[in-house]
Amino acid sequence: MATPTKKKHRTPIAMFIAPQSTTLLEVLDVALPSMSRSKRKSFLQNRCVTLRGEPTTQYDAVVNPGDAVEVFNVGFPKKFASPFANILWQDEYFVLVEKKTGIATVSNHPGLKVTLFKIIANHLKEQYGPNEKIFLLNRLDSETHGLILFARSREMQQRVLAEWKKYIPQQQFTAVVEGLFTAPEGELKGRIQNKLKSTSNNRPTTRRSATRYRVLAEGEYTSLIEISLLGRFNGIRTLLIEEEQPILGEKTPIAVIQTVKPLLIKQTSLTLIHPISKKRFNFSLSIPSEFYKYLQKPLTRSERARALEQNRLNNKNNSTGSLTDKRNTRKNKEIVKQ
Protein backbone atom coordinates (compact mmCIF):
# COMPACT_ATOMS: atom_id res chain seq x y z
CA MET A 1 0.00 0.00 0.00
CA ALA A 2 1.26 3.48 -0.84
CA THR A 3 2.65 5.59 1.99
CA PRO A 4 0.19 8.35 2.97
CA THR A 5 1.29 11.81 1.87
CA LYS A 6 2.72 13.77 4.77
CA LYS A 7 1.58 17.37 5.12
CA LYS A 8 4.15 20.13 5.38
CA HIS A 9 5.24 20.88 8.96
CA ARG A 10 4.95 24.42 10.29
CA THR A 11 8.40 25.65 11.32
CA PRO A 12 9.67 29.15 12.24
CA ILE A 13 11.89 30.86 9.66
CA ALA A 14 12.53 34.11 11.55
CA MET A 15 12.19 35.44 15.09
CA PHE A 16 12.61 39.05 16.28
CA ILE A 17 12.36 40.82 19.67
CA ALA A 18 11.39 44.46 19.23
CA PRO A 19 13.84 46.87 20.93
CA GLN A 20 11.42 49.79 20.64
CA SER A 21 7.86 50.68 19.68
CA THR A 22 7.14 50.17 15.98
CA THR A 23 4.67 48.54 13.60
CA LEU A 24 4.54 44.92 12.54
CA LEU A 25 5.43 45.58 8.89
CA GLU A 26 8.50 47.56 9.97
CA VAL A 27 9.57 44.60 12.12
CA LEU A 28 9.27 42.32 9.08
CA ASP A 29 11.45 44.73 7.07
CA VAL A 30 14.19 44.19 9.64
CA ALA A 31 13.58 40.45 10.28
CA LEU A 32 13.41 39.54 6.55
CA PRO A 33 15.78 41.98 4.83
CA SER A 34 16.52 39.74 1.83
CA MET A 35 12.85 39.49 0.82
CA SER A 36 10.79 41.98 -1.15
CA ARG A 37 8.10 43.96 0.64
CA SER A 38 5.38 42.16 -1.34
CA LYS A 39 6.78 38.83 -0.09
CA ARG A 40 6.75 40.10 3.50
CA LYS A 41 3.15 41.24 3.10
CA SER A 42 2.24 37.81 1.73
CA PHE A 43 3.42 36.27 5.01
CA LEU A 44 0.95 38.50 6.81
CA GLN A 45 -1.90 37.80 4.37
CA ASN A 46 -1.36 34.04 4.74
CA ARG A 47 -1.36 34.15 8.58
CA CYS A 48 2.30 33.13 8.80
CA VAL A 49 3.19 35.85 11.35
CA THR A 50 2.57 35.80 15.10
CA LEU A 51 2.74 38.77 17.45
CA ARG A 52 3.02 37.90 21.13
CA GLY A 53 2.20 34.31 20.18
CA GLU A 54 -1.03 35.06 18.30
CA PRO A 55 -1.40 34.90 14.47
CA THR A 56 -2.25 38.24 12.88
CA THR A 57 -2.72 39.77 9.43
CA GLN A 58 -2.67 43.40 10.63
CA TYR A 59 0.38 45.03 9.03
CA ASP A 60 0.10 48.21 11.14
CA ALA A 61 -0.33 46.39 14.47
CA VAL A 62 1.57 48.14 17.28
CA VAL A 63 4.66 46.27 18.44
CA ASN A 64 5.85 47.24 21.91
CA PRO A 65 9.42 46.98 23.24
CA GLY A 66 10.15 43.34 24.15
CA ASP A 67 7.33 41.92 22.00
CA ALA A 68 8.19 38.72 20.13
CA VAL A 69 7.42 38.46 16.41
CA GLU A 70 7.79 35.09 14.64
CA VAL A 71 7.44 34.21 10.96
CA PHE A 72 6.53 30.66 9.88
CA ASN A 73 6.73 28.80 6.57
CA VAL A 74 3.08 27.63 6.83
CA GLY A 75 0.21 29.86 7.88
CA PHE A 76 -2.03 29.28 10.88
CA PRO A 77 -5.64 28.32 10.14
CA LYS A 78 -8.42 30.79 10.82
CA LYS A 79 -10.51 29.98 13.85
CA PHE A 80 -13.19 27.61 12.71
CA ALA A 81 -16.73 28.77 13.49
CA SER A 82 -19.89 26.88 12.58
CA PRO A 83 -23.21 26.22 14.37
CA PHE A 84 -23.03 22.65 13.08
CA ALA A 85 -19.55 21.53 14.10
CA ASN A 86 -16.33 22.03 16.05
CA ILE A 87 -12.89 20.89 14.94
CA LEU A 88 -11.54 19.10 18.02
CA TRP A 89 -8.16 17.89 16.76
CA GLN A 90 -6.11 17.59 13.61
CA ASP A 91 -2.63 16.68 12.44
CA GLU A 92 -0.97 16.04 9.07
CA TYR A 93 -3.09 12.93 8.48
CA PHE A 94 -6.49 13.38 10.16
CA VAL A 95 -9.18 15.88 11.17
CA LEU A 96 -11.57 15.00 14.02
CA VAL A 97 -14.85 16.92 14.13
CA GLU A 98 -17.66 17.17 16.64
CA LYS A 99 -20.81 16.97 14.52
CA LYS A 100 -23.91 18.58 15.99
CA THR A 101 -27.50 17.56 15.27
CA GLY A 102 -29.35 18.96 12.28
CA ILE A 103 -26.75 18.40 9.56
CA ALA A 104 -26.02 15.42 7.33
CA THR A 105 -22.50 14.03 7.25
CA VAL A 106 -22.58 13.75 3.45
CA SER A 107 -25.21 14.45 0.82
CA ASN A 108 -27.88 11.77 0.61
CA HIS A 109 -29.96 13.46 -2.09
CA PRO A 110 -29.16 15.83 -4.98
CA GLY A 111 -30.76 18.94 -3.46
CA LEU A 112 -28.76 18.88 -0.21
CA LYS A 113 -26.23 21.72 -0.41
CA VAL A 114 -25.00 22.05 3.19
CA THR A 115 -23.27 19.01 4.67
CA LEU A 116 -20.59 18.50 7.29
CA PHE A 117 -18.24 17.21 4.60
CA LYS A 118 -18.60 20.41 2.55
CA ILE A 119 -18.17 22.69 5.58
CA ILE A 120 -14.93 21.03 6.67
CA ALA A 121 -13.59 20.64 3.11
CA ASN A 122 -14.18 24.33 2.34
CA HIS A 123 -12.57 25.41 5.62
CA LEU A 124 -9.41 23.40 4.94
CA LYS A 125 -9.20 24.67 1.35
CA GLU A 126 -9.28 28.23 2.70
CA GLN A 127 -6.43 27.41 5.07
CA TYR A 128 -4.16 25.25 2.95
CA GLY A 129 -5.10 25.91 -0.66
CA PRO A 130 -7.50 24.59 -3.32
CA ASN A 131 -5.74 21.23 -3.60
CA GLU A 132 -6.49 20.30 0.01
CA LYS A 133 -8.90 17.33 0.25
CA ILE A 134 -10.54 15.26 2.96
CA PHE A 135 -11.77 11.66 2.87
CA LEU A 136 -14.59 10.33 5.04
CA LEU A 137 -13.93 7.51 7.52
CA ASN A 138 -17.24 7.29 9.42
CA ARG A 139 -20.64 8.90 9.25
CA LEU A 140 -23.63 9.68 11.47
CA ASP A 141 -27.29 10.39 10.76
CA SER A 142 -28.29 14.04 10.66
CA GLU A 143 -30.19 13.60 13.97
CA THR A 144 -27.14 12.20 15.77
CA HIS A 145 -24.57 14.27 17.65
CA GLY A 146 -21.11 12.72 17.67
CA LEU A 147 -17.58 12.39 16.32
CA ILE A 148 -16.59 12.27 12.65
CA LEU A 149 -13.07 11.41 11.53
CA PHE A 150 -11.68 12.52 8.18
CA ALA A 151 -8.44 11.39 6.57
CA ARG A 152 -6.40 14.05 4.76
CA SER A 153 -5.29 11.71 1.95
CA ARG A 154 -6.91 8.86 0.06
CA GLU A 155 -3.98 6.61 0.97
CA MET A 156 -4.61 7.10 4.68
CA GLN A 157 -8.35 6.60 4.23
CA GLN A 158 -7.82 3.28 2.45
CA ARG A 159 -5.27 2.16 5.03
CA VAL A 160 -7.67 2.72 7.92
CA LEU A 161 -10.68 1.21 6.13
CA ALA A 162 -8.69 -1.90 5.22
CA GLU A 163 -7.82 -2.57 8.88
CA TRP A 164 -10.62 -0.81 10.69
CA LYS A 165 -10.54 -2.78 13.95
CA LYS A 166 -6.79 -2.26 14.22
CA TYR A 167 -6.98 1.53 13.94
CA ILE A 168 -10.53 2.24 15.24
CA PRO A 169 -10.99 -0.47 17.89
CA GLN A 170 -14.09 1.05 19.43
CA GLN A 171 -16.78 3.70 19.18
CA GLN A 172 -19.25 4.30 21.99
CA PHE A 173 -22.72 5.82 21.98
CA THR A 174 -25.11 6.73 24.78
CA ALA A 175 -28.86 6.47 24.25
CA VAL A 176 -32.17 6.51 26.09
CA VAL A 177 -34.27 3.58 24.90
CA GLU A 178 -37.69 2.15 25.67
CA GLY A 179 -37.90 -0.82 27.99
CA LEU A 180 -35.87 -2.35 30.80
CA PHE A 181 -33.13 -4.91 30.24
CA THR A 182 -33.07 -8.25 32.05
CA ALA A 183 -29.25 -8.28 32.00
CA PRO A 184 -27.08 -5.26 32.92
CA GLU A 185 -24.95 -5.83 29.83
CA GLY A 186 -24.95 -7.98 26.72
CA GLU A 187 -24.97 -8.00 22.93
CA LEU A 188 -27.53 -6.43 20.61
CA LYS A 189 -28.19 -8.94 17.85
CA GLY A 190 -31.51 -7.85 16.35
CA ARG A 191 -33.62 -10.22 14.29
CA ILE A 192 -32.09 -9.73 10.84
CA GLN A 193 -28.71 -11.33 10.31
CA ASN A 194 -26.23 -10.21 7.65
CA LYS A 195 -27.89 -11.06 4.32
CA LEU A 196 -25.91 -12.20 1.29
CA LYS A 197 -26.51 -11.15 -2.29
CA SER A 198 -27.16 -13.90 -4.78
CA THR A 199 -23.95 -13.07 -6.64
CA SER A 200 -20.64 -14.79 -7.08
CA ASN A 201 -18.83 -12.61 -4.53
CA ASN A 202 -21.53 -13.14 -1.85
CA ARG A 203 -21.10 -9.65 -0.47
CA PRO A 204 -23.65 -8.86 2.28
CA THR A 205 -26.49 -6.46 1.52
CA THR A 206 -26.88 -5.82 5.24
CA ARG A 207 -23.58 -5.58 7.11
CA ARG A 208 -23.43 -5.27 10.87
CA SER A 209 -20.62 -5.06 13.37
CA ALA A 210 -20.67 -6.60 16.83
CA THR A 211 -22.63 -4.25 19.09
CA ARG A 212 -22.72 -4.47 22.88
CA TYR A 213 -24.73 -2.57 25.50
CA ARG A 214 -24.32 -1.71 29.18
CA VAL A 215 -27.11 -0.27 31.32
CA LEU A 216 -26.11 2.97 33.03
CA ALA A 217 -29.45 3.93 34.63
CA GLU A 218 -33.15 3.05 34.51
CA GLY A 219 -36.42 4.93 34.63
CA GLU A 220 -40.00 3.69 34.91
CA TYR A 221 -40.05 2.33 31.37
CA THR A 222 -36.79 3.58 29.88
CA SER A 223 -33.09 2.74 30.10
CA LEU A 224 -29.97 4.83 29.63
CA ILE A 225 -27.44 2.58 27.94
CA GLU A 226 -23.87 2.76 26.70
CA ILE A 227 -23.47 1.10 23.31
CA SER A 228 -20.09 -0.14 22.08
CA LEU A 229 -19.69 -0.50 18.33
CA LEU A 230 -16.87 -2.97 17.71
CA GLY A 231 -16.53 -2.53 13.96
CA ARG A 232 -17.07 -0.24 11.03
CA PHE A 233 -20.76 -0.82 10.24
CA ASN A 234 -23.19 1.18 12.37
CA GLY A 235 -26.70 -0.28 12.55
CA ILE A 236 -27.54 0.74 16.12
CA ARG A 237 -30.90 2.40 15.44
CA THR A 238 -32.18 -0.53 13.36
CA LEU A 239 -30.89 -3.06 15.88
CA LEU A 240 -32.80 -1.40 18.71
CA ILE A 241 -35.99 -1.22 16.66
CA GLU A 242 -35.68 -4.93 15.91
CA GLU A 243 -35.19 -5.56 19.64
CA GLU A 244 -38.43 -3.56 20.15
CA GLN A 245 -36.53 -1.11 22.32
CA PRO A 246 -36.33 1.93 20.05
CA ILE A 247 -34.41 5.05 20.95
CA LEU A 248 -36.65 7.79 22.35
CA GLY A 249 -37.47 10.16 19.50
CA GLU A 250 -37.37 7.38 16.90
CA LYS A 251 -40.23 7.73 14.41
CA THR A 252 -41.45 4.15 14.34
CA PRO A 253 -44.94 2.63 14.82
CA ILE A 254 -43.67 0.33 17.57
CA ALA A 255 -42.62 3.24 19.79
CA VAL A 256 -44.67 3.52 22.97
CA ILE A 257 -43.36 7.00 23.76
CA GLN A 258 -44.12 9.10 20.69
CA THR A 259 -44.02 12.64 22.07
CA VAL A 260 -40.23 13.04 22.31
CA LYS A 261 -38.90 15.19 19.45
CA PRO A 262 -35.09 14.95 19.65
CA LEU A 263 -33.48 11.59 18.96
CA LEU A 264 -31.88 10.66 22.27
CA ILE A 265 -28.61 9.16 21.09
CA LYS A 266 -25.13 10.67 21.07
CA GLN A 267 -21.76 9.29 20.13
CA THR A 268 -19.66 9.84 23.24
CA SER A 269 -16.28 8.36 22.34
CA LEU A 270 -14.03 7.24 19.50
CA THR A 271 -10.64 5.52 19.85
CA LEU A 272 -7.94 5.97 17.21
CA ILE A 273 -4.68 4.06 17.06
CA HIS A 274 -2.60 6.38 14.90
CA PRO A 275 -1.19 4.45 11.91
CA ILE A 276 1.98 6.56 11.81
CA SER A 277 2.85 7.43 15.43
CA LYS A 278 1.13 4.31 16.89
CA LYS A 279 -0.18 6.60 19.65
CA ARG A 280 -3.60 5.81 21.13
CA PHE A 281 -6.07 8.71 21.05
CA ASN A 282 -9.27 8.52 23.11
CA PHE A 283 -11.68 11.27 22.07
CA SER A 284 -14.82 11.78 24.14
CA LEU A 285 -17.95 13.92 24.51
CA SER A 286 -20.14 14.27 27.61
CA ILE A 287 -23.55 12.66 28.12
CA PRO A 288 -26.26 15.35 27.76
CA SER A 289 -28.02 16.18 31.04
CA GLU A 290 -31.33 16.10 29.11
CA PHE A 291 -30.96 12.33 28.78
CA TYR A 292 -31.38 11.94 32.54
CA LYS A 293 -34.42 14.25 32.55
CA TYR A 294 -36.18 12.12 29.94
CA LEU A 295 -35.21 9.01 31.90
CA GLN A 296 -37.08 10.29 34.97
CA LYS A 297 -40.20 11.30 33.06
CA PRO A 298 -43.18 9.03 33.94
CA LEU A 299 -45.41 7.44 31.32
CA THR A 300 -48.66 9.16 30.46
CA ARG A 301 -51.91 7.24 30.70
CA SER A 302 -52.07 6.74 26.92
CA GLU A 303 -48.44 5.60 26.77
CA ARG A 304 -49.04 3.11 29.59
CA ALA A 305 -52.07 1.71 27.74
CA ARG A 306 -50.09 1.47 24.50
CA ALA A 307 -47.25 -0.35 26.29
CA LEU A 308 -49.60 -2.90 27.86
CA GLU A 309 -51.32 -3.55 24.52
CA GLN A 310 -47.99 -3.95 22.74
CA ASN A 311 -46.77 -6.45 25.33
CA ARG A 312 -50.06 -8.35 25.20
CA LEU A 313 -49.65 -8.78 21.43
CA ASN A 314 -46.01 -9.79 21.81
CA ASN A 315 -46.84 -12.43 24.39
CA LYS A 316 -49.59 -13.78 22.13
CA ASN A 317 -47.63 -13.84 18.88
CA ASN A 318 -44.10 -14.64 20.08
CA SER A 319 -43.17 -17.78 21.93
CA THR A 320 -39.53 -18.07 20.98
CA GLY A 321 -38.16 -17.14 24.37
CA SER A 322 -35.83 -14.65 22.70
CA LEU A 323 -34.00 -11.89 24.52
CA THR A 324 -36.61 -9.42 23.23
CA ASP A 325 -39.49 -11.51 24.62
CA LYS A 326 -37.83 -11.63 28.02
CA ARG A 327 -37.37 -7.88 28.03
CA ASN A 328 -40.99 -7.38 27.07
CA THR A 329 -42.04 -9.60 29.97
CA ARG A 330 -40.12 -7.36 32.32
CA LYS A 331 -41.62 -4.26 30.70
CA ASN A 332 -45.10 -5.68 31.31
CA LYS A 333 -44.41 -6.47 34.96
CA GLU A 334 -43.04 -3.00 35.63
CA ILE A 335 -46.09 -1.35 34.05
CA VAL A 336 -48.58 -3.54 35.93
CA LYS A 337 -46.90 -2.57 39.23
CA GLN A 338 -47.91 1.08 38.71
Side-chain angles (χ1 to χ4, degrees):
M1 183 176 292
T3 302
T5 304
K6 189 175 183 179
K7 301 295 179 180
K8 192 174 182 181
H9 275 292
R10 180 182 296 109
T11 55
I13 59 175
M15 196 270 188
F16 186 80
I17 303 296
Q20 60 188 27
S21 295
T22 183
T23 64
L24 187 54
L25 188 56
E26 289 173 342
V27 169
L28 295 182
D29 290 342
V30 175
L32 304 170
S34 62
M35 295 184 184
S36 66
R37 174 156 278 212
S38 61
K39 179 65 175 178
R40 295 170 201 153
K41 286 184 177 179
S42 73
F43 279 112
L44 281 168
Q45 293 167 353
N46 295 323
R47 296 179 60 84
C48 296
V49 179
T50 63
L51 173 60
R52 297 182 288 272
E54 291 294 325
T56 181
T57 60
Q58 189 177 346
Y59 70 92
D60 58 351
V62 176
V63 181
N64 298 313
D67 283 350
V69 175
E70 286 189 274
V71 183
F72 293 81
N73 63 331
V74 175
F76 289 84
K78 294 178 184 177
K79 289 185 178 179
F80 177 76
S82 170
F84 298 112
N86 294 316
I87 294 179
L88 301 182
W89 169 83
Q90 70 181 76
D91 68 0
E92 300 98 318
Y93 305 99
F94 297 102
V95 180
L96 182 84
V97 177
E98 176 188 6
K99 174 198 164 302
K100 308 242 181 118
T101 56
I103 187 167
T105 307
V106 293
S107 179
N108 51 18
H109 60 80
L112 189 60
K113 294 183 178 180
V114 180
T115 66
L116 183 72
F117 186 95
K118 290 180 180 178
I119 289 173
I120 302 302
N122 289 340
H123 172 71
L124 293 181
K125 285 180 186 295
E126 289 177 0
Q127 307 313 308
Y128 303 108
N131 294 326
E132 182 73 16
K133 294 181 180 180
I134 56 172
F135 301 85
L136 188 66
L137 285 167
N138 67 313
R139 67 180 67 189
L140 295 171
D141 297 331
S142 61
E143 304 96 325
T144 304
H145 186 163
L147 299 164
I148 299 293
L149 186 64
F150 296 98
R152 295 182 67 183
S153 69
R154 185 174 296 280
E155 295 90 349
M156 181 57 78
Q157 179 203 41
Q158 295 306 307
R159 180 171 178 175
V160 174
L161 294 180
E163 296 185 271
W164 183 265
K165 291 184 179 180
K166 177 180 177 180
Y167 298 121
I168 311 289
Q170 183 171 270
Q171 299 178 75
Q172 288 187 327
F173 297 74
T174 304
V176 182
V177 303
E178 291 190 6
L180 305 175
F181 290 76
T182 56
E185 58 184 64
E187 185 174 356
L188 295 173
K189 295 183 178 179
R191 295 186 176 183
I192 300 175
Q193 301 302 315
N194 287 354
K195 294 183 177 180
L196 298 179
K197 291 181 180 179
S198 56
T199 59
S200 57
N201 59 16
N202 281 335
R203 295 185 64 184
T205 57
T206 302
R207 292 181 287 183
R208 289 180 174 172
S209 300
T211 307
R212 298 191 60 81
Y213 76 88
R214 181 169 68 92
V215 178
L216 302 178
E218 291 184 336
E220 176 191 2
Y221 184 73
T222 53
S223 300
L224 178 69
I225 61 173
E226 177 188 82
I227 304 163
S228 296
L229 183 64
L230 307 177
R232 176 182 167 194
F233 303 105
N234 183 348
I236 292 171
R237 292 175 64 179
T238 304
L239 274 173
L240 287 164
I241 290 174
E242 290 173 12
E243 294 281 5
E244 298 183 10
Q245 295 195 256
I247 300 166
L248 266 64
E250 194 76 76
K251 304 299 184 259
T252 173
I254 71 165
V256 168
I257 302 171
Q258 299 182 354
T259 56
V260 176
K261 291 185 178 180
L263 187 69
L264 300 190
I265 183 172
K266 180 179 179 180
Q267 184 181 9
T268 46
S269 75
L270 182 148
T271 300
L272 168 67
I273 308 299
H274 202 291
I276 305 301
S277 68
K278 312 304 179 188
K279 183 178 178 181
R280 184 184 185 94
F281 292 89
N282 295 306
F283 303 104
S284 62
L285 299 173
S286 62
I287 301 174
S289 59
E290 290 80 6
F291 282 19
Y292 292 95
K293 293 179 183 178
Y294 280 105
L295 194 68
Q296 297 165 1
K297 188 178 179 180
L299 290 177
T300 65
R301 182 177 298 178
S302 61
E303 289 169 345
R304 194 181 307 280
R306 191 157 52 244
L308 287 170
E309 176 61 17
Q310 186 183 95
N311 282 304
R312 184 186 68 79
L313 292 173
N314 285 335
N315 292 334
K316 179 180 178 181
N317 298 329
N318 299 323
S319 58
T320 60
S322 69
L323 181 61
T324 303
D325 296 332
K326 291 175 183 176
R327 289 177 188 155
N328 285 336
T329 299
R330 185 176 173 194
K331 288 183 193 178
N332 198 29
K333 289 179 180 178
E334 294 294 331
I335 295 166
V336 171
K337 284 181 185 178
Q338 305 301 319

